[in-house]
């Protein structure tokens, strides 16, 4: 009997449905080639779920995600829901699913592929050869601390508490050391230990865990300095680990080194093999429905899904090779095209990847 894997698919808002559709086609071809079965179950999340279910994260979506081996997500958000109160914003669905599924480790690789050097806004000599991973803590810190809003006689007051438990820091630091160990063995832990108490605890825990990884070099960097170093000399980085909000900011910055956020995949991992995979970019409401969005970040996220959650390394490699082959042949969507008049659309890009993939036998 064929091995069966369950994949929950949450297309979300904006360009989400268009880009996810291409990634699902790629997964279907992988299933055929590798002789496995993927059972897809679709769920609603974000703005679309607010419209149909009155909540950005319906119970049904959580249930089907929990039953799955992995989750593939498009993107959430859009101007339609921007004025909603915090708990009724699309983003609350994303934050809620991360917390509910225990997805504490967000892995965001930023690799500069030679064919895309021209797409970067930085000088080729600065960005060519960049190959780094931002590991972002995803279920703690200021995102999930106590929030308050109240009135005083002097006006309104708002509070967002940044809180970290030692155990939360330790598990993400360990994940980062494990990743660094398989790469160039250089880990930079980013914090604001000159100001924040939570950062001082972060640094202490990182030092303690480092004793178990004598083969990996650990250094510390303040977040403002890291922001500077990322544009000044990004090649110095191998693996960066940081807390939730710093990671949100630095991962966008790292993404842009490579030219297009439309190319970058991410994995949000729980303990064990379960994970949620999504492109780093957002729902791009301005181009939604036009069929011009770049599906490659989502296709590359599907490759990460194959590798991390399903253990299908050969299939993941084949998908990645197919994507690079298409780029090497000169095909570009608008976001990475130097000549926009020659840009191709979402479906066309998906088809090209499928055509490349079908040439690659997968020996799983
Ligand atoms: C990200 C996004 C989310 C975040 C938003 C949409 C809530 O920016 O995944 O980086 O801030 O975590
Ligand atoms: Mg972000």
């Amino acid at each position: 009997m064929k091995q069966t894997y369950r994949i929950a698919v949450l297309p979300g808002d904006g360009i989400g449905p268009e880009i996810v559709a291409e990634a699902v086609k790629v997964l279907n071809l992988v299933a055929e080639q590798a002789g496995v079965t993927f059972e897809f179950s679709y769920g609603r999340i974000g703005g679309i779920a607010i419209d149909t279910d009155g909540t950005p994260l319906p119970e049904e979506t959580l249930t089907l995600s929990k039953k799955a081996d992995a989750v593939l997500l498009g993107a959430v958000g859009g101007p339609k829901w921007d004025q909603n109160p915090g708990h009724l914003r699309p983003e609350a669905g994303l934050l809620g699913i991360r917390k509910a599924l225990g997805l504490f480790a967000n892995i965001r690789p930023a690799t500069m592929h030679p064919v895309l050097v021209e797409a970067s806004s930085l000088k080729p000599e600065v960005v060519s050869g960049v190959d780094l991973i931002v590991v972002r803590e995803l279920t703690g810190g200021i995102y999930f601390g106590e929030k308050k809003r109240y009135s005083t006689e002097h006006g309104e007051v708002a509070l967002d508490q940044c809180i970290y438990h030692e155990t939360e820091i330790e598990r993400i630091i360990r994940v980062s050391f494990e990743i660094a160990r398989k790469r160039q063995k250089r880990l930079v832990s980013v914090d604001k230990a000159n100001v924040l108490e939570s950062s001082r605890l972060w640094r202490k825990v990182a030092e303690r865990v480092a004793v178990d990884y004598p083969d990996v070099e650990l250094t510390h960097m303040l977040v403002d300095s890291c922001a500077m170093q990322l544009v000044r000399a990004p090649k110095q980085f191998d693996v960066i680990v940081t807390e939730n909000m710093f990671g949100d900011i630095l991962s966008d910055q790292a993404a842009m080194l490579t030219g297009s956020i439309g190319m970058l995949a991410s994995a949000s991992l729980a303990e064990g093999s379960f994970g949620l995979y999504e492109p780093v970019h957002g729902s791009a409401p301005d181009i939604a429905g036009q069929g011009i969005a770049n599906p490659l970040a989502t296709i590359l996220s599907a490759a990460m899904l194959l590798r991390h959650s399903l253990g299908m390394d050969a299939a993941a490699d084949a998908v990645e090779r197919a994507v690079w082959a298409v780029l090497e042949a000169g095909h570009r969507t608008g976001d990475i095209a130097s000549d926009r008049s020659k840009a191709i659309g979402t479906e066309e890009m998906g088809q090209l990847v499928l055509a490349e993939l079908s040439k690659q036998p997968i020996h799983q």
Side-chain angles (χ1 to χ4, degrees):
M1 221 191 86
K2 278 190 190 176
Q3 171 88 42
T4 300
Y5 296 105
R6 288 196 245 195
I7 302 176
V9 183
L10 314 179
D13 307 317
I15 59 171
E18 302 161 52
I19 53 179
V20 163
E22 298 311 311
V24 168
K25 288 182 206 164
V26 167
L27 287 171
N28 274 325
L29 180 56
V30 164
E32 214 176 283
Q33 286 176 303
V36 300
T37 303
F38 292 148
E39 269 175 27
F40 297 103
S41 44
Y42 283 78
R44 291 181 297 277
I45 192 166
I48 174 140
I50 296 174
D51 290 351
T52 53
D53 304 72
T55 163
L57 183 58
E59 205 50 50
E60 193 188 320
T61 300
L62 261 186
T63 309
L64 68 89
S65 300
K66 282 182 185 160
K67 279 194 199 140
D69 296 299
V71 181
L72 181 69
L73 188 140
V76 299
K80 183 175 176 193
W81 307 280
D82 268 353
Q83 303 310 320
N84 286 11
H87 69 287
L88 281 182
R89 289 183 61 106
E91 292 81 1
L94 192 53
L95 299 177
I97 200 168
R98 287 173 180 170
K99 192 73 173 177
L101 300 179
L103 305 169
F104 69 95
N106 185 218
I107 318 292
R108 296 187 168 179
T111 306
M112 182 81 247
H113 196 275
V115 294
L116 287 180
V117 166
E118 294 306 317
S120 179
S121 55
L122 298 185
K123 291 190 194 130
E125 61 267 31
V126 174
V127 291
S128 70
V130 163
D131 177 15
L132 62 87
I133 294 186
V134 177
V135 180
R136 167 187 176 194
E137 199 292 323
L138 205 58
T139 51
I142 198 166
Y143 272 61
F144 291 96
E146 190 191 349
K147 292 183 191 302
K148 264 194 194 154
R149 187 86 169 253
Y150 55 93
S151 299
T152 69
E153 55 188 287
H154 306 294
E156 268 196 291
V157 177
L159 169 131
D160 295 282
Q161 178 196 43
C162 181
I163 177 165
Y164 266 109
H165 293 257
E166 207 171 341
T167 48
E168 290 174 314
I169 303 172
E170 174 159 351
R171 63 182 182 178
I172 191 74
I173 297 282
R174 283 199 187 278
V175 166
S176 320
F177 269 113
E178 291 294 337
I179 293 173
R181 183 168 258 183
K182 295 193 197 99
R183 294 172 47 98
Q184 291 173 44
K185 303 185 179 4
R186 286 183 291 112
L187 178 62
V188 178
S189 172
V190 174
D191 60 36
K192 188 73 186 173
N194 52 348
V195 178
L196 301 178
E197 208 49 50
S198 53
S199 282
R200 287 191 271 270
L201 178 61
W202 182 278
R203 209 174 261 223
K204 182 178 135 186
V205 174
E207 284 294 325
R208 173 159 57 72
V209 174
V211 175
D212 296 340
Y213 298 87
D215 52 321
V216 178
E217 175 200 78
L218 170 71
T219 51
H220 304 279
M221 202 177 271
L222 296 172
V223 61
D224 47 350
S225 173
C226 181
M228 184 179 72
Q229 293 297 337
L230 266 175
V231 282
R232 194 188 72 86
K235 276 178 257 188
Q236 70 186 283
F237 295 103
D238 178 24
V239 180
I240 293 174
V241 60
T242 191
E243 63 95 62
N244 204 342
M245 188 160 72
F246 297 159
D248 178 44
I249 300 165
L250 293 179
S251 61
D252 267 25
Q253 193 184 346
M256 277 319 285
L257 297 173
T258 68
S260 173
I261 204 161
M263 287 300 304
L264 294 179
S266 81
S268 302
L269 308 176
E271 308 272 9
S273 64
F274 185 79
L276 177 149
Y277 301 82
E278 58 175 320
V280 168
H281 62 72
S283 60
D286 52 322
I287 59 163
Q290 296 177 29
I292 58 170
N294 185 349
L296 295 180
T298 316
I299 291 172
L300 291 169
S301 298
M304 287 183 95
L305 181 158
L306 291 165
R307 185 177 289 119
H308 289 282
S309 286
L310 310 187
M312 296 177 68
D313 291 46
D317 292 346
V319 171
E320 286 167 358
R321 272 200 309 273
V323 166
W324 297 121
V326 169
L327 291 172
E328 269 151 27
H331 306 291
R332 301 281 187 276
T333 42
D335 57 320
I336 46 175
S338 40
D339 178 358
R340 287 206 173 218
S341 68
K342 297 210 185 91
I344 60 170
T346 312
E347 272 188 48
E348 203 179 333
M349 183 55 101
Q351 283 306 323
L352 288 164
V353 174
L354 289 174
E356 277 300 331
L357 186 59
S358 61
K359 293 185 207 156
Q360 316 224 7
I362 299 172
H363 302 292
Q364 199 57 54

